[in-house]
Amino acid sequence: MALALYEPGLGYYANNTAKFGLMASSGSDFVTAPEMSPVFGQLLAAQVAEALVRTGTRQVWEFGAGTGALALQVLDELAALGVRPDRYTIVDVSGTLRARQQLRLARYGGLVHWADALPARLEGVVIGNEVLDAMPVQLLQRLGGAWHERGVVRRPEGGFGWQDRLTPLRPPMDIEGEHDYLTEIHAQGEAFIRTLGEHMVRGAAFFIDYGFGESEYYHPQRHMGTLVCHRLHKVDDDPLTDVGLKDITAHVNFTGTAVAAQDAGFEVLGYTNQAHFLINCGLGPKLDALEQGPRAMAAKLMMEHEMGELFKVIGLVKGAEPWDALGFVRGDRTHRL
């Protein structure tokens, strides 16, 4: 998965395909919330502004900034709110996407910077939209009651195939039943959260992604796992074909994210679905002010059958006193992690 997504010159996020867009006719493979409506970034900015004030910090960090759409929305809204940061730093492994970001954010000149690594001491507010789902996972398969790690091999006739081998690795909770069961574990994504905590001295972090708490993620009926691919706005479950030409992604285990965060010294500010988060941040008045077309697009951000329920938001804080964060004042589900 790491090679297919990030290998220089070959991986999906290392090549120059369109990736992000509303329609397949643009050559894109999927749409993210900032590409769907600028309202998303405007509302996230309200939470970022509050966090900057509450933590007493002046910098924003964004991981995996895509086309730069979210950064532009957040910066514009922070300026409108009078909470302009001293620095906005983007960390993105994709050179082609970085070039698109630089073009899109050109009018912010010296305010926006790009980094390849975290500083020894990080202070500020971190945001990441659909970042954790793109971090490589390990596949575990229970066959006949025995757990195997699923790996990739070259087939003699060409192409790639699966190969399972016995492993001591296990999901973080027991899976009821004796049926065969395929799932994922998220060692790399959780290691990223711990690394972020090791570097952060003072600040907050907000991650938005599709996923579940642990009990739902590892439900006995979810026996086919969550790993899927996206290409031209179609979903398939075969990451071994068209390698490097399509996105490979897995849902996020937000319980694992929260535990990793707490291990690294964070406290959880809140956890809820995207609909509650955006409504808490002022979605209603934003919708009322829009014309019919843009309002319909923005409404998809909260609709249950679109992005409202599947996408979740988790907020974290370190080195500052936790507060009743704006995005979680109603509908908080931290107790369900």
Side-chain angles (χ1 to χ4, degrees), residues 95-112:
T96 55
L97 287 176
R98 182 181 293 198
R100 294 172 69 180
Q101 294 158 12
Q102 290 170 339
L103 207 59
R104 193 165 204 162
L105 297 165
R107 64 185 173 88
Y108 276 99
L111 180 64
V112 182

Side-chain angles (χ1 to χ4, degrees), residues 218-277:
Y218 297 105
H219 192 280
Q221 294 180 0
R222 200 177 299 283
H223 63 95
M224 295 303 292
T226 72
L227 190 80
V228 293
C229 306
H230 297 93
R231 189 178 188 190
L232 296 175
H233 293 260
K234 295 181 179 179
V235 179
D236 70 77
D237 61 358
D238 185 7
L240 303 186
T241 60
D242 299 327
V243 178
L245 297 177
K246 59 185 179 182
D247 188 29
I248 308 173
T249 177
H251 287 43
V252 177
N253 169 15
F254 278 101
T255 300
T257 301
V259 170
Q262 289 175 325
D263 288 345
F266 284 107
E267 293 187 63
V268 177
L269 283 172
Y271 166 71
T272 192
N273 65 16
Q274 181 171 292
H276 275 121
F277 181 83

